[in-house]
Amino acid sequence: MTTGITRERIADRLGHVKYDRFLFYLMGPYKSFNLNYVLSEEERRGIDVEDLPGPLRQLFKNKDDVNAAKALLRRIQGKLRTEPGVNAFLALDVDIDTDDVDAVTQSIKYARCSNATAFVVPFLGHNFGVGEEAGSILENIADTHGERLLFVHEDDVTSAMIRSAPVRWDLRVETYENEGELVSKLRRFAGGIMHRERRGELGHPE
């Protein structure tokens, strides 16, 4: 399936930064568990949350957590775009309708097009299951883009996927205690990728 997603299209949707051509894709739990992906606006009207099946009921009860995760990614994005000035972006910034291309396919393509991709998983009082989407992406790109991937989670977050990732995909996994430490690790990761690209140790992304 042709997605129409290219590095040029992504860059064109983003604002200008010092390193416009260095695309840094940021993923987090807000995306997979946005209620817009679960129920239509009409379906959400007048719903009695207590009548919903357990998983959906939990999503409604954790809307604030979803918003907090998205806000965290937005703050990180702004800091990375300022220093070191890379073109950090979220899937929402490219604005491709999921009716045209499903969310996981979009994420796979964004990761393939990006110089660096980070899965950021904060502890927000609920296991969002971001590992399921991360696993789908890793199955498709880890063999060819594994060195451009970083999975970074807050100390209190644990899952079977996180524990198995370093062995199954040879994925780099790190932890953080606070937002400042998270930003520092993402900056070092981006700087390392940039340095390796300049030395010719990494091929160009799609």
Side-chain angles (χ1 to χ4, degrees):
M1 178 176 59
T2 301
T3 65
I5 298 172
T6 64
R7 283 177 57 81
E8 288 70 25
R9 182 174 184 180
I10 295 170
D12 285 347
R13 299 290 178 93
L14 308 176
H16 294 294
V17 292
K18 183 176 180 179
Y19 300 106
D20 281 342
R21 298 300 299 169
F22 190 97
L23 301 181
F24 195 160
Y25 179 34
L26 299 174
M27 289 186 62
Y30 81 91
K31 184 167 170 288
S32 295
F33 292 86
N34 185 321
L35 291 173
N36 291 326
Y37 288 100
V38 181
L39 299 173
S40 68
E41 182 177 350
E42 183 176 351
E43 289 171 327
R44 290 196 299 274
R45 291 195 191 109
I47 283 179
D48 186 341
V49 174
E50 295 305 319
D51 290 338
L52 291 171
L56 284 180
R57 185 168 61 249
Q58 193 66 41
L59 290 179
F60 273 91
K61 290 182 177 180
N62 286 278
K63 285 189 292 185
D64 290 342
D65 284 350
V66 174
N67 291 334
K70 181 179 175 181
L72 170 66
L73 289 182
R74 284 298 187 197
R75 291 195 300 273
I76 294 168
Q77 176 190 19
K79 291 174 182 177
L80 292 173
R81 291 178 67 85
T82 301
E83 176 61 42
V86 295
N87 221 343
F89 72 100
L90 278 57
L92 297 174
D93 298 328
V94 188
D95 194 26
I96 293 178
D97 198 321
T98 53
D99 289 336
D100 298 328
V101 183
D102 68 88
V104 172
T105 300
Q106 285 187 33
S107 288
I108 291 169
K109 190 62 178 178
Y110 295 152
R112 287 187 180 278
C113 289
S114 296
N115 301 76
T117 296
F119 301 91
V120 178
V121 186
F123 180 78
L124 296 168
H126 177 62
N127 182 4
F128 287 95
V130 70
E132 181 177 350
E133 183 170 2
S136 297
I137 294 169
L138 290 167
E139 288 288 356
N140 281 272
I141 70 171
D143 287 345
T144 56
H145 289 65
E147 293 179 289
R148 296 183 181 275
L149 300 173
L150 173 67
F151 196 106
V152 57
H153 63 93
E154 199 164 357
D155 283 340
D156 293 334
V157 176
T158 60
S159 77
M161 194 287 269
I162 294 173
R163 290 190 294 271
S164 67
V167 175
R168 183 171 181 180
W169 294 293
D170 194 26
L171 179 66
R172 179 176 172 182
V173 177
E174 296 194 13
T175 63
Y176 69 94
E177 292 185 0
N178 54 59
E179 189 170 325
E181 182 181 10
L182 170 60
V183 172
S184 294
K185 289 192 173 187
L186 292 175
R187 282 172 172 160
R188 285 198 299 270
F189 177 63
I193 295 292
M194 294 177 78
H195 181 66
R196 295 185 64 190
E197 286 181 343
R198 288 168 180 163
R199 294 183 59 178
E201 296 177 4
L202 287 176
H204 295 289
E206 293 182 3

